Amino acid sequence: MIKRTVLDASRELLRELGLTTVFGNPGTTEVPFLTDWPDDFHYILGLQESTVVAMADAYSQATRQAAIVNLHSAGGVGHGLGSLYTAYRNRTPLIVLAGQQSRSLLPHDPFLGAMDAPEFPKPYVKWSIEPATAEDVPAALSRAYHVATQAPSGPVFVSVPADDWTATTERPVISRPRIRGFAPDPEAVAELAAALEAAERPAIVVGGAVDQDGAVTETVALAERLNAGVWVAPMSFRCSFPENHPLFQGFLDPERGTISDKLAAHDLVVVLGAPAFTYHVDRGRGEAPLPPLFIVSDDEHLLARAYEGTGIRATPKLGVRALLDVVGQNSRPAPAPLQRPAKPSGDKLTGEFVFSTLTDLLPDNAIVVEEAPSHRGVMHDHLPITQTDTGFLTIASGTLGYGVPGTVGAALGAPDRKVIGVIGDGSSMYGIQALWTAARQDLPVTILIMDNSEYAAVRIFGDSIGSEKLPSTELGGIDFAALAASMGCQGVTITEPAGLVPGLTAALDDKRPTLVHIRVTSSEESPY
């Protein structure tokens, strides 16, 4: 056998797996991994660990491939945990490769040492390890990749002591075959098909896993064959059905009573690639009734915790294809199409006006990255996402800090597509460092900062439950255009409705990374 270093063996494996783009913010414990950096590897530098995790998350989503992010021992992993939680909720196949102090120092609780390193990111990783010996590192990386990419996909964690990389090994590099999707039990499919045949007013609820599995085309075909209305699951992190389709019915809110009201017209609901359901608020209506449910998911934990319904385990594409094989064209009348609000007049620079204007200007095949919680409702009304091949990315976790770095990561992953970020002013400050990376990588991204000078989602929610004297929701005073310029991006400020079309048109046409600071009128509409 050929004797080589663990570093050389690991790089051989990473090449084979297509993991030659590494996101990171380096520290001393990562120096042995980074030394003699290969010319065929690409290192994406971010200025804070949470931002590089979010970049890697969106990059993975845009490429539909696993991604690797290199973090600094305990402190760096700690900084990245908020975005790692988002990656877990987003089902992102992320390999977190963390540095660790040298093995010879670990018994002495050294400076920068990570105690119980594999335990730190739990439970928000699918698998976590610090290899027992240096020679185990390549095998651990191989296993990490395959655990991350198996359905349901998600992040994994590998902690590597600094001196492991220079150790020698004669072990072969084994990458293992990738496990693909899995189909449902035929008897379960037959049961669902019979229920659909008997139903008079069926509906489909789609979640982010449908687009993540590339199953949107099949889902559209199923909805059309059934003449079934299609709803989007609460807090969905991708667009899994074209929002201009006549069968599209709208969005479910993360509250049991509202979901009950919206689904009351249906006598059967098939949930595809989503929990049934994700809740965020409790308005005191208790267990409001739901129609009979069938839940098709690749996640056994999601199916196990469902309070009601019949679970069918399958990856979304193979699950929907199995249904298409057994259900015929149904002649039941289709539900009435969704009626959208009229386009606002533009006398005020509201979120509604911004989104309706962006709809008119949005390039074909664009990717929209969103993190503007207080504007989510009006965005749904006025910015229909019609590009369903990774046309929309957001957070399933509710943890802020994804939007700006997510825009950067998506642009790195899809260089042939225009990427537009729509970010709240408060949200943006959790990951604003990513502007520096956008400039360094010369990415033609357009980032819209929706500045209503407050944490509006918090204030509106407080108002809705009768809170008084809620502290620390007021913001303002940030010059985002100047901040962008200081990091090497173009900065534009729009304060009047008349400046929106020319300002957005110029920004979207600009090949440089551009931030558009829009001072919007505060909204009183709850995002939920």
Side-chain angles (χ1 to χ4, degrees), residues 254-386:
E255 193 272 324
R256 173 79 181 219
T258 306
I259 292 173
S260 175
D261 292 343
K262 289 186 174 181
L263 296 182
H266 305 289
D267 58 353
L268 180 70
V269 174
V270 181
V271 182
L272 297 176
F277 293 96
T278 297
Y279 303 125
H280 176 52
V281 294
D282 182 357
R283 305 206 186 278
R285 291 183 55 184
E287 295 298 310
L290 293 173
L293 300 175
F294 280 81
I295 308 164
V296 182
S297 174
D298 55 22
D299 187 342
E300 71 275 24
H301 295 290
L302 183 154
L303 295 173
R305 69 174 178 262
Y307 275 51
E308 52 207 298
T310 301
I312 300 177
R313 191 160 188 230
T315 48
K317 179 174 283 191
L318 293 182
V320 175
R321 285 180 175 176
L323 276 172
L324 286 170
D325 287 341
V326 295
V327 299
Q329 182 65 49
N330 198 289
S331 60
R332 65 172 66 91
L338 176 68
Q339 296 299 309
R340 293 188 179 276
K343 183 175 180 178
S345 62
D347 56 334
K348 294 182 179 179
L349 193 54
T350 61
E352 293 89 335
F353 183 60
V354 171
F355 287 120
S356 63
T357 302
L358 182 59
T359 296
D360 295 336
L361 302 176
L362 199 66
D364 292 337
N365 204 31
I367 299 175
V368 175
V369 179
E370 180 268 338
E371 191 180 47
S374 62
H375 287 96
R376 175 70 72 88
V378 296
M379 184 196 73
H380 288 332
D381 288 340
H382 295 281
L383 181 62
I385 304 297
T386 60

Side-chain angles (χ1 to χ4, degrees), residues 19 28 72 142 148 178 236 295 307 328 435 441 517:
L19 297 172
T28 54
H72 182 45
S142 177
R178 182 175 177 182
S236 183
I295 308 164
Y307 275 51
L435 292 176
Q441 298 293 327
H517 179 190

